[in-house]
Amino acid sequence: MKKYNLILIMLFVSFLGKSQLQSIEIISVKNIQLSPDTSYSRSIKCKDSTWYAACSNGSIYLYDTKTQKTSEVFGYEVEELRDIELLGNGNVLAMMSGSTGKFVKIGPGSRTSTDKSSILDSVFLDGMDFSPSGVGVLMGDPVNGSFSVFFSNDFGSTWEVLEPKIKAEKGEAGYAASGTNIQLIHDGLFYFVSGGSKSKLYKVDFSGFDNATTTVSKIPMQNGEGKGAFSLFFKNEKEGIVVGGDYKNPDNSEDACFFTYDGGETWTKPTTPFSGYKSCVIYSKKYNVLFASGRTGLDYSLDFGENWIKLSDTPMFALTFFGENLLGTTRNGIIMQIELKFI
């Protein structure tokens, strides 16, 4: 028994002695021409060896990393596509943001179809999120003083209006910048953020799928047209981060990022801020690292937003992980495949 305890103590000491992640370096960058140079993507997802990108020209492009070939599976029949999700039933769903809400679905055998529900008439959609079980949430800009919020129980085949409706202040709206302004925490709870005249975190409990309960907390970010909260990520119901800033003055990093450990009851801004406006934030659970991107480039944080370090000056709209690589969508139809070294 004493020998066993000694081994446990040695293992514990060895664990404590291991150094934490100190920094991240870029080993290489490969630029993939995914779509025409007149377009760009605000949302990209990966499954196995394939990348799926929703693009500004109303098209969906795939990139096969095995064959290194690009293909267009849907094109030019809708307005700009700003979010794309890989669903648990094997389908792909892309969201159109424009004069009215619409979806593009890729089903078995790469069959594509468009879907428009009458409840999405005149709704500018901002983002969506799904669980593996098929529960989905969707939000758009306010109509008649209330946010356009919907939920689905069938992988987005049908949508229902969330009741009661969530009121918005004058000049308050969402930003369809990277499809990351809404997050499904679990099948009965989701969060979304707003910007513009006010920046707020909305926590929506819809566990009964009717008579939803919404808790609202103000975020002390920059306010005004093109300002405020653009993207969020929460580890759980309590620990989260919100990024954004001033789209029209992207170098201004003042009050562009806040994190919380109590579900938004209190907010803390970084000791070392990132390099200006950011439209997307994502999290690596494996390395406990945040990455944030925008017109001012790519930054990372090793302490959940307390301090940020610049990694690249290249503007990037949206981010996702591809194995140990980071993918960033940028201008002229290019996807950057960034190979990283975690030190």
Side-chain angles (χ1 to χ4, degrees):
M1 180 62 71
K2 289 183 178 179
K3 184 177 180 180
Y4 178 76
N5 289 339
L6 179 61
I7 292 174
L8 287 178
I9 292 171
M10 291 175 65
L11 288 172
F12 181 69
V13 172
S14 175
F15 173 79
L16 291 178
K18 289 183 178 179
S19 60
Q20 293 182 329
L21 187 65
Q22 298 296 314
S23 66
I24 300 173
E25 295 179 358
I26 294 178
I27 297 175
S28 65
V29 176
K30 183 178 181 181
N31 290 335
I32 308 297
Q33 188 71 51
L34 190 67
S35 61
D37 59 11
T38 54
S39 67
Y40 57 86
S41 171
R42 289 190 182 274
S43 184
I44 184 170
K45 298 291 190 301
C46 302
K47 182 179 180 182
D48 300 325
S49 61
T50 306
W51 307 349
Y52 299 80
C55 293
S56 60
N57 60 0
S59 297
I60 299 174
Y61 293 90
L62 273 60
Y63 179 72
D64 188 326
T65 57
K66 291 182 178 180
T67 63
Q68 298 186 9
K69 291 184 178 180
T70 298
S71 58
E72 181 187 47
V73 293
F74 180 88
Y76 301 97
E77 296 178 28
V78 297
E79 297 175 57
E80 182 173 358
L81 297 172
R82 293 207 180 191
D83 198 2
I84 192 165
E85 297 291 334
L86 309 184
L87 305 181
N89 63 356
N91 291 340
V92 178
L93 193 68
M95 179 195 82
M96 187 191 83
S97 297
S99 57
T100 193
K102 190 179 290 186
F103 295 99
V104 177
K105 183 185 295 183
I106 304 175
S110 296
R111 294 195 303 270
T112 60
S113 61
T114 57
D115 178 37
K116 179 184 176 297
S117 171
S118 60
I119 64 173
L120 301 180
D121 285 344
S122 302
V123 175
F124 185 94
L125 296 175
D126 295 309
M128 59 181 174
D129 198 17
F130 282 85
S131 73
S133 65
V135 174
V137 289
L138 169 73
M139 70 85 60
D141 283 350
V143 174
N144 297 324
S146 296
F147 282 103
S148 306
V149 186
F150 312 91
F151 68 90
S152 172
N153 291 315
D154 55 10
F155 298 98
S157 294
T158 59
W159 293 93
E160 295 183 41
V161 178
L162 186 82
E163 296 287 355
K165 293 186 176 181
I166 301 171
K167 298 295 183 181
E169 294 193 39
K170 184 178 180 180
E172 181 187 6
Y175 289 116
S178 62
T180 56
N181 72 325
I182 186 169
Q183 181 183 351
L184 189 63
I185 307 301
H186 56 69
D187 279 0
L189 180 70
F190 70 93
Y191 295 173
F192 71 89
V193 290
S194 65
S197 63
K198 299 289 182 182
S199 288
K200 297 179 184 178
L201 171 70
Y202 291 85
K203 303 187 293 183
V204 185
D205 183 339
F206 68 122
S207 52
F209 294 104
D210 56 12
N211 197 27
T213 302
T214 302
T215 303
V216 185
S217 64
K218 294 182 180 179
I219 310 170
M221 302 187 82
Q222 304 176 39
N223 293 323
E225 184 179 353
K227 299 179 181 180
F230 279 71
S231 176
L232 83 162
F233 172 79
F234 272 75
K235 287 184 182 180
N236 47 53
E237 294 184 23
K238 298 293 186 181
E239 299 175 89
I241 189 162
V242 177
V243 305
D246 184 351
Y247 176 80
K248 295 182 178 181
N249 184 18
D251 292 328
N252 180 8
S253 61
E254 184 67 24
D255 295 337
C257 174
F258 286 87
F259 54 91
T260 179
Y261 291 103
D262 55 17
E265 292 185 22
T266 60
W267 296 95
T268 303
K269 63 180 178 180
T271 300
T272 308
F274 48 47
S275 56
Y277 158 79
K278 296 291 186 260
S279 58
C280 181
V281 62
I282 62 173
Y283 174 72
S284 168
K285 184 177 180 180
K286 178 179 180 179
Y287 293 105
N288 192 31
V289 177
L290 287 166
F291 293 91
S293 66
R295 295 174 68 186
T296 54
L298 175 67
D299 296 57
Y300 71 91
S301 173
L302 304 175
D303 50 15
F304 206 70
E306 178 69 37
N307 297 280
W308 290 89
I309 302 169
K310 189 66 171 284
L311 194 59
S312 171
D313 290 321
T314 304
M316 300 178 201
F317 298 106
L319 301 170
T320 195
F321 295 107
F322 179 63
E324 295 289 295
N325 289 226
L326 191 66
L327 303 183
T329 70
T330 188
R331 298 165 180 164
N332 306 121
I334 291 174
I335 307 297
M336 297 176 63
Q337 183 176 356
I338 306 168
E339 184 180 1
L340 301 173
K341 181 179 181 181
F342 297 88
I343 304 171

